[in-house]
Amino acid sequence: PPMRPFVDELPRPPVVTGSHLDLVAYTTSHRFHRDMPAVPAFGYNDQTYLGPTVEHEAGRPLTVRFHNRLGDHPFAGDIDTTLHGVPESYRTTVPASLHLHGGVTPPASDGHPERLVVPGQHLDHDFPLRQSAGHLWYHDHVMGITRANVYAGLTGMMLLRDEFDTGAPDNPLGLPAGEFEIPLVLQEKLFNPDGRQSLRSTAVVPPGSWEGGAVGDVGVVNGVVWPQLPVARGLYRFRAINAASFSTWNLFFGNRMRFWVIGNDHGLLDAPVPVRNLRLAPAERIDLLVDFADLAPGETVDLCNDEQPVFQAAILGEVAMPVFCRFRAEDRTGWRGPVPQTLRGGPRQPAVLPPVRVPALSRTLTISQPYELRVPPAIMSLNNLRYSDPDIDMPRQGTTEVWNIVNITPDPHPIHIHLVDFRILSRTPLRTVDYQLAHPQPPIGIRWTPDPEGFLAGPAQPPAPWESGRKDVVRVDGGTVTRIVVRFPTADELGFDPDASFPRIGPPMPGAAHSAEHAAHQDSDLRGFVWHCHLLDHEDHDMMLRFRTVR
Ligand code: C2O
Ligand code: CU
């Protein structure tokens, strides 16, 4: 399709505020580029793609009534009915759920993948938001078709504010605000010749089958293909997210200029970190300051990527998705303030990084791609288990644990844990072949989490400076042991019982009951949360597990 880059202006999703909100998911028709027709998509409220940015004050409760008014699915032909017994009917009667990613949320309101909302129904969500200011986002999380629902458009941002990061021009930290603070929902997509979005990236896998990685060769920002933004010559604050399905990007500006990371998933860092590039995996959020003051009027600079997954290279050839958007300097001065010296850790603000306390327990978890007899013959797995397996992790409330996440695949997987935030300790290269030879992987369904000690291939690498602070997603690079430290809060701290049971909505997953325990899980109420790989294709099959925190 004739998609010239940098013609449409970057839109800003509308902002909604209030303590009672409605989010209504619709099947829509969305124009991704002015030269293309409007094509089938999903959106919330009056948006034809994505949802509004919810701005809210940390510590104030929010209720959201989520309505499913979805019609036909834009990717009806790609729905794989072998995953979790997804029925044929999902093509026309599309279930959805609403998860607030990064929210410290009671289990019944967390958008559990088995608590689905069918068309015509709604569900009320309580978000206490007893947590610090930060950059949250909401998205669909329904069992077996999350990848299709999110790619179609079911995602949006939430900015949590506090008395320092107020979002107002007179904020005490001196951060760019108003027109100079801009959300960037970064995505990559493939489009068919007729202009429709494509979830299929290879001809190798039969139509209708799960493919394992929806990649793209077109940059989409805030729902527009390769937009451009006129900027004033001054400082901007960009609240960016990798909202792609599969790809980790190495982001940089085309002129290789320096920029500053001031925050990530759960709020501001202690001080700005200058960088010239950074790797951002799906679901990671990044808060950036970019200074356009040195550009001449009319000069342009592009936001670029030069990382390409091996798998993607095989499909699309050379650097598949090299650019997201273009900024063009106008002849006007903008935000006048300098880059602040300190953020958190500054005057009156507590530092974001208290010392790491001695952990109560260390737990090893694995990321692998075991063989499975189906076409395509692969399943993505955590701990060599399937989602439905009963062998789940049950950390104790009030304890701190170190998780050693062992990735024996060659690719990065962004691991996300609901309910909690954590800090990244290190990444250490692993002798994966020796590790696997010493500990042969049993058939899927049997926990496989051997200790990586003795198979480490070098010193532990500290996280990048910008990765410090409180995270809820960690990029676990291929062939590494990535260590995080995570504290599981008590019911008193949370203000709710994190282990309360709540009703399943909708049918038990049919056709997947492979054990008595699983059958019981399918029939009973639900409990707990999930942790998973945030590659959307992976969490659908089957790189997502339940967990409970117990007293
Ligand atoms: Cu972004 Cu389990 O979610
Ligand atoms: Cu993965």
Side-chain angles (χ1 to χ4, degrees):
M3 293 189 297
R4 285 176 301 127
F6 318 129
V7 295
D8 291 305
E9 188 161 322
L10 177 79
R12 239 174 216 272
V15 173
V16 298
T17 58
S19 48
H20 300 277
L21 298 176
D22 288 274
L23 283 174
V24 191
Y26 293 102
T27 297
T28 61
S29 196
H30 178 70
R31 195 179 291 277
F32 284 93
H33 188 283
R34 79 158 67 131
D35 300 334
M36 296 204 304
V39 296
F42 287 165
Y44 295 97
N45 298 2
D46 46 14
Q47 285 181 257
T48 53
Y49 183 76
L50 307 178
T53 301
V54 179
E55 286 216 28
H56 198 80
E57 198 184 317
R60 277 189 38 228
L62 168 69
T63 61
V64 175
R65 177 165 286 189
F66 171 61
H67 309 253
N68 180 343
R69 304 255 174 85
L70 296 171
D72 285 354
H73 206 299
F75 304 117
D78 297 312
I79 288 175
D80 184 335
T81 56
T82 67
L83 305 188
H84 301 286
V86 164
E88 293 275 344
S89 61
Y90 278 17
R91 294 182 175 139
T92 48
T93 310
V94 185
S97 74
L98 179 72
H99 171 58
L100 178 61
H101 180 131
V104 181
T105 304
S109 290
D110 199 45
H112 191 283
E114 293 178 75
R115 196 166 153 82
L116 41 91
V117 183
V118 298
Q121 303 289 308
H122 66 256
L123 186 66
D124 289 326
H125 295 253
D126 290 320
F127 298 121
L129 297 169
R130 266 172 55 168
Q131 56 191 102
S132 54
H135 186 170
L136 282 49
W137 61 304
Y138 56 92
H139 59 76
D140 182 74
H141 214 311
V142 85
M143 182 63 70
I145 59 168
T146 292
R147 70 192 183 294
N149 285 1
V150 174
Y151 194 102
L154 291 186
T155 183
M157 275 200 191
M158 176 190 269
L159 301 178
L160 267 189
R161 305 291 194 180
D162 66 9
E163 78 256 49
F164 299 99
D165 184 6
T166 63
D170 62 351
N171 70 85
L173 299 174
L175 296 172
E179 71 159 302
F180 305 111
E181 183 190 23
I182 300 178
L184 298 178
V185 180
L186 303 175
Q187 297 179 304
E188 59 175 42
K189 282 185 188 289
L190 292 175
F191 289 94
N192 290 325
D194 65 0
R196 286 172 184 251
Q197 308 183 68
S198 170
L199 196 59
R200 288 184 58 73
S201 45
T202 161
V204 177
V205 174
S209 277
W210 175 87
E211 290 194 306
V215 296
D217 57 3
V218 171
V220 175
V221 187
N222 297 352
V224 167
V225 165
W226 290 315
Q228 53 91 20
L229 183 71
V231 290
R233 294 164 63 208
L235 208 58
Y236 278 77
R237 180 181 185 189
F238 294 109
R239 314 294 300 266
I241 176 171
N242 181 336
S245 298
F246 186 81
S247 297
T248 295
W249 300 310
N250 180 44
L251 299 176
F252 61 96
F253 286 94
N255 61 0
R256 300 281 169 179
M257 70 182 176
R258 182 174 58 155
F259 54 102
W260 292 264
V261 180
I262 60 169
N264 52 39
D265 304 350
H266 286 269
L268 296 169
L269 302 174
D270 290 345
V273 175
V275 294
R276 288 185 196 274
N277 68 289
L278 61 87
R279 290 181 71 207
L280 199 68
E284 287 191 295
R285 288 86 75 199
I286 200 82
D287 194 346
L288 302 176
L289 293 183
V290 180
D291 193 354
F292 296 109
D294 291 339
L295 298 191
E299 199 178 338
T300 63
V301 61
D302 297 345
L303 178 60
C304 303
N305 162 55
D306 66 3
E307 175 158 341
Q308 181 175 35
V310 178
F311 158 75
Q312 194 175 9
I315 297 161
L316 297 168
E318 281 301 287
V319 175
M321 214 307 293
V323 67
F324 291 95
C325 55
R326 170 165 289 180
F327 302 97
R328 183 168 37 76
E330 293 192 314
D331 192 7
R332 62 184 173 108
T333 42
W335 185 262
R336 292 192 169 273
V339 174
Q341 297 289 307
T342 59
L343 300 158
R344 295 179 76 104
R348 295 171 300 138
Q349 273 246 71
V352 75
L353 290 175
V356 177
R357 281 193 287 156
V358 178
L361 182 81
S362 127
R363 195 182 285 267
T364 297
L365 308 114
T366 57
I367 295 175
S368 69
Q369 182 171 358
Y371 182 77
E372 191 204 29
L373 277 178
R374 72 190 289 276
V375 176
I379 179 172
M380 308 307 301
S381 176
L382 299 170
N383 298 348
N384 199 47
L385 300 171
R386 289 159 296 209
Y387 171 81
S388 50
D389 284 315
D391 181 3
I392 65 173
D393 288 282
M394 293 197 282
R396 294 183 70 83
Q397 295 168 21
T399 60
T400 301
E401 298 194 358
V402 168
W403 283 22
N404 303 303
I405 310 173
V406 179
N407 179 1
I408 64 164
T409 80
D411 311 305
H413 299 258
I415 296 296
H416 170 50
I417 312 174
H418 285 214
L419 180 72
V420 296
D421 58 64
F422 51 76
R423 288 168 54 187
I424 304 172
L425 294 175
S426 62
R427 297 182 178 89
T428 311
L430 176 78
R431 291 187 285 116
T432 51
V433 174
D434 294 341
Y435 176 80
Q436 287 174 275
L437 284 174
H439 305 285
Q441 197 164 350
I444 185 118
I446 300 172
R447 177 180 287 256
W448 180 72
T449 54
D451 188 346
E453 205 51 54
F455 301 94
L456 302 177
Q461 316 282 335
W466 69 265
E467 291 180 300
S468 64
R470 294 139 58 104
K471 297 272 296 161
D472 60 40
V473 182
V474 57
R475 194 191 72 244
V476 179
D477 283 329
T480 69
V481 180
T482 297
R483 297 170 75 227
I484 61 172
V485 58
V486 50
R487 184 166 182 284
F488 294 90
T490 63
D492 274 357
E493 291 161 340
L494 292 166
F496 58 80
D497 178 1
D499 202 35
S501 68
F502 55 97
R504 165 194 313 285
I505 309 182
M509 293 178 292
H514 45 75
S515 69
E517 290 93 328
H518 175 219
H521 165 71
Q522 287 199 315
D523 292 338
S524 66
D525 279 358
L526 303 170
R527 213 183 258 282
F529 297 88
V530 294
W531 67 286
H532 57 91
C533 175
H534 220 293
L535 306 184
L536 300 176
D537 304 77
H538 289 186
E539 68 175 280
D540 273 351
H541 182 49
D542 227 289
M543 203 172 251
M544 173 165 71
L545 297 179
R546 297 172 283 140
F547 76 96
R548 290 171 53 190
T549 64
V550 293
R551 253 180 255 276

